[in-house]
Amino acid sequence: MHTLFRGGRVFTATGSPSAGSPSAGSSSTGDAVLVRDGVIVAVGDEADLVRQAPAHETVDLEGGLLMPGVTDAHIHPVQAGLEHAKCDLSEIYGLDAYVAAIAAYAGRCDKEWIDGGGWDMSAFPGGLPHRSQLDFLDRPAYLIQRDHHAAWVNTRALELAGITRDTPDPADGRIERDADGTPSGVLHEGAMDLVGLLTPRPTADDMDAALVTAQRHLFSLGITGWQDAIVGSYAGSDDQLPTYLAAAKAGRLKARVVGALWWDRAQGAEQIDSLIERRAMAEGLDRFSAGAVKIMQDGITENFTAAVIEPYCRCGGTGLSYIDPAKLREYVAELDRHGFQVHFHAIGERAVREALDSFEGTSPANRHHIAHLQIIEPSDVPRFATLGVTANLQPLWATHHAQMDELTLPFLGEERSGWQYPFASLLSHGTRLCAGSDWPVSNADPIQGMHVAVNRTEPGGSVHAGYPTAQTPFLPGERIDLATAMTAYTAGSAWINRSPAGTIEPGRPADLVVLDRDPFELPSSEIWTARVRLTFVDGEPVYQR
């Protein structure tokens, strides 16, 4: 039986998500789409398609938009599902709200640890909570910061870990300290493991439930595929590879997923044989592969661990390069020779440059990409296209919000602040774009991310939209148009994952999303209001609002 999608606009995403195609993100080649046996068979005029398939079922778009399913190119679904089941602070804001939620959680659970996360640095003076604020608890506490680059712990947790004023900082992290050297209760980057590895480990059933919960949520947002940006053990989290393998083999994994295997920065090239073995574990699976490797080259600007070229204003220091740049080139070259895709985390302009340098001489066929790209020194912008490196954007962060205005801009300085999230500049040089959310670091909703890419303002419905400058465009010259943004989230990210989906054209899988309204017909300030009504994978409904 055929299914006819009709009654609205069809966004095909068949233009290239780069400046090389002036028609990037072609928004329509007709007003209807015909699907049979989970595959798109025709796109065009409704009357013509009806003649092709007189007997058909109909999906009425009701004046909304039909678009390809979204592929999130940088996300952490298993971690998000686990955190949702713990002490979840991600939907609230402020110390009083955090303490109330933590106390309520402690009162209803008998776990030996209070763990979870989602707190925002901007809720605290200088971005730093304190152990004393958690010392009302009768148990150790370990709460991961929203960005997953720090943890807030209480005195009991520090004692159990044996962390004192005499404990040195690890090479890839920092223990925040009071004036007398006593640990204050915030552990940055690699220091998180000093406590995080002591917390109770989730069971295999816990991990599986987290994945299923996350997949259900992502389907509700029109996300039908993703690249899990850390598949391995990091910051107190357990390896997700067995979870994905089991779910794919059992048929519970319906989305199209690539796992980016974690590069252990405490090791060197000797781990590549293990990565090859881990990749092979997923060979032959329909819904999961593991052909990417994730390298985190620096931290974040807010805690001054992002790797920058010139020192931070006011506090000095140039951040952390987790892997020596000379060694990095060797490792990336070897990974490239073995056919791995390399997926970088790079926030500061020095980390971005080091990542680009490491790609010199590698094969564009491996579809390497750099995620986050908060700061790019202007002379490095053209190098993405020259090297065939894809820019993996997390647009939701490119706004005026408290963390940006209070914890970032004052420490970057005026010139460097203007180098942030240069989406339009990358596009103008012909850079291929893909996009993602970094959920649970930020909202997984791709429509909100597209809204920010177009407007450079906070979506009107976001938690912090009441911040005074939330509707002042952030570096508005770096806006991109909606068709380009939507194409990055669909065709661009599907390309990164080597997914057969991502566009609406004959022969592609019918991974499709119906929005309740057409965002191309809305004022740009209202893009964020569009909602997913239906999501299909292989032509089968996986979500209905």
Side-chain angles (χ1 to χ4, degrees):
M1 175 64 75
H2 289 84
T3 301
L4 181 70
F5 292 79
R6 45 94 41 219
R9 186 196 297 259
V10 177
F11 179 87
T12 62
T14 50
S16 170
S18 75
S21 171
S23 60
S26 168
S27 62
S28 180
T29 57
D31 58 2
V33 174
L34 193 63
V35 171
R36 183 178 182 181
D37 297 331
V39 177
I40 298 165
V41 295
V43 183
D45 178 76
E46 179 181 346
D48 290 340
L49 300 191
V50 169
R51 282 191 289 271
Q52 288 185 44
H56 62 264
E57 297 176 343
T58 298
V59 175
D60 189 349
L61 304 181
E62 298 179 4
L65 180 76
L66 182 68
M67 60 178 282
V70 168
T71 298
D72 190 309
H74 185 105
I75 193 170
H76 310 279
V78 178
Q79 188 65 26
L82 289 171
E83 289 181 13
H84 180 73
K86 298 179 182 179
C87 185
D88 185 3
L89 307 177
S90 62
E91 297 299 320
I92 58 178
Y93 182 77
L95 177 59
D96 291 345
Y98 294 154
V99 169
I102 294 165
Y105 177 81
R108 64 177 181 266
C109 81
D110 57 2
K111 294 169 59 176
E112 60 180 300
W113 280 74
I114 301 301
D115 59 346
W119 56 274
D120 195 312
M121 291 180 70
S122 66
F124 300 93
L128 299 172
H130 196 269
R131 66 181 188 280
S132 61
Q133 295 158 334
L134 296 175
D135 282 346
F136 69 90
L137 295 166
D138 61 355
R139 284 162 278 176
Y142 178 81
L143 298 165
I144 298 172
Q145 180 237 356
R146 178 176 61 85
D147 284 351
H148 287 65
H149 289 268
W152 178 19
V153 301
N154 62 2
T155 300
R156 180 64 181 139
L158 292 168
E159 290 172 347
L160 286 174
I163 301 173
T164 70
R165 70 180 64 192
D166 298 320
T167 303
D169 289 342
D172 61 348
R174 186 173 78 249
I175 301 168
E176 203 68 48
R177 303 174 192 269
D178 292 335
D180 65 356
T182 302
S184 68
V186 175
L187 307 173
H188 298 285
E189 306 294 342
M192 296 167 67
D193 277 348
L194 300 176
V195 171
L197 294 178
L198 303 179
T199 61
R201 311 324 304 162
T203 66
D205 286 346
D206 292 336
M207 299 279 279
D208 185 73
L211 175 57
V212 171
T213 297
Q215 179 176 245
R216 183 167 57 247
H217 177 64
L218 295 175
F219 283 160
S220 78
L221 299 174
I223 297 168
T224 57
W226 62 79
Q227 184 160 144
D228 190 316
I230 298 179
V231 174
S233 300
Y234 164 73
S237 67
D238 287 8
D239 183 14
Q240 304 91 343
L241 183 59
T243 304
Y244 277 115
L245 295 176
K249 290 173 182 176
R252 290 188 298 276
L253 186 64
K254 305 294 184 184
R256 305 178 196 279
V257 179
V258 170
L261 303 174
W262 177 244
W263 180 270
D264 184 350
R265 56 198 184 221
Q267 301 183 53
E270 69 274 12
Q271 67 187 289
I272 293 178
D273 286 344
S274 173
L275 293 171
I276 293 171
E277 292 173 2
R278 284 164 63 78
R279 177 175 63 181
M281 293 178 187
E283 289 180 1
L285 295 178
D286 179 46
R287 296 287 156 165
F288 180 75
S289 62
V293 172
K294 166 68 176 298
I295 298 178
M296 185 178 289
Q297 184 59 5
D298 68 343
I300 58 173
T301 57
E302 294 86 353
N303 66 10
F304 316 121
T305 56
V308 295
I309 295 171
E310 297 296 329
Y312 288 98
C313 305
R314 303 187 185 181
C315 63
T318 56
L320 301 173
S321 290
Y322 290 137
I323 301 173
D324 176 82
K327 292 289 186 184
L328 186 65
R329 293 190 187 206
E330 296 176 15
Y331 303 155
V332 170
E334 186 68 11
L335 290 168
D336 183 72
R337 280 194 290 273
H338 284 285
F340 280 105
Q341 174 189 91
V342 179
H343 177 164
F344 265 105
H345 162 119
I347 293 279
E349 73 272 18
R350 189 177 84 237
V352 173
R353 179 170 292 177
E354 290 166 352
L356 288 169
D357 289 347
S358 76
F359 286 135
E360 293 281 356
T362 60
S363 172
N366 288 326
R367 306 189 186 191
H368 304 306
H369 51 125
I370 306 176
H372 307 326
L373 301 171
Q374 181 170 348
I375 312 168
I376 308 179
E377 201 279 330
S379 67
D380 285 323
V381 170
R383 299 180 66 200
F384 284 80
T386 301
L387 294 170
V389 174
T390 298
N392 187 335
L393 312 180
Q394 283 64 62
L396 203 61
W397 306 340
T399 69
H400 282 289
H401 51 272
Q403 198 156 308
M404 173 63 74
D405 288 0
E406 298 171 11
L407 299 178
T408 301
L409 296 181
F411 300 94
L412 293 184
E414 184 175 354
E415 182 182 33
R416 186 162 47 193
S417 292
W419 300 345
Q420 294 187 83
Y421 304 115
F423 304 160
S425 295
L426 287 162
L427 190 68
S428 72
H429 284 90
T431 304
R432 182 181 290 272
L433 305 180
C434 66
S437 65
D438 208 12
W439 185 59
V441 170
S442 56
N443 193 318
D445 186 351
I447 301 299
Q448 293 206 22
M450 294 175 206
H451 177 101
V452 174
V454 172
N455 293 283
R456 308 284 287 206
T457 59
E458 287 282 293
S462 67
V463 174
H464 303 304
Y467 188 68
T469 58
Q471 299 307 317
T472 300
F474 179 73
L475 301 175
E478 295 296 348
R479 295 166 168 152
I480 55 178
D481 65 85
L482 179 56
T484 299
M486 192 173 286
T487 303
Y489 274 96
T490 53
S493 295
W495 184 86
I496 280 293
N497 267 17
R498 300 181 186 275
S499 169
T503 61
I504 298 179
E505 54 188 329
R508 298 285 187 177
D511 292 5
L512 302 170
V513 174
V514 179
L515 299 184
D516 64 356
R517 67 205 73 182
D518 181 353
F520 291 94
E521 296 296 326
L522 296 173
S524 64
S525 62
E526 296 179 15
I527 291 171
W528 69 275
T529 65
R531 295 287 182 270
V532 172
R533 187 163 67 84
L534 295 164
T535 304
F536 298 83
V537 173
D538 288 328
E540 295 296 321
V542 293
Y543 170 77
Q544 180 173 354
R545 195 175 71 187

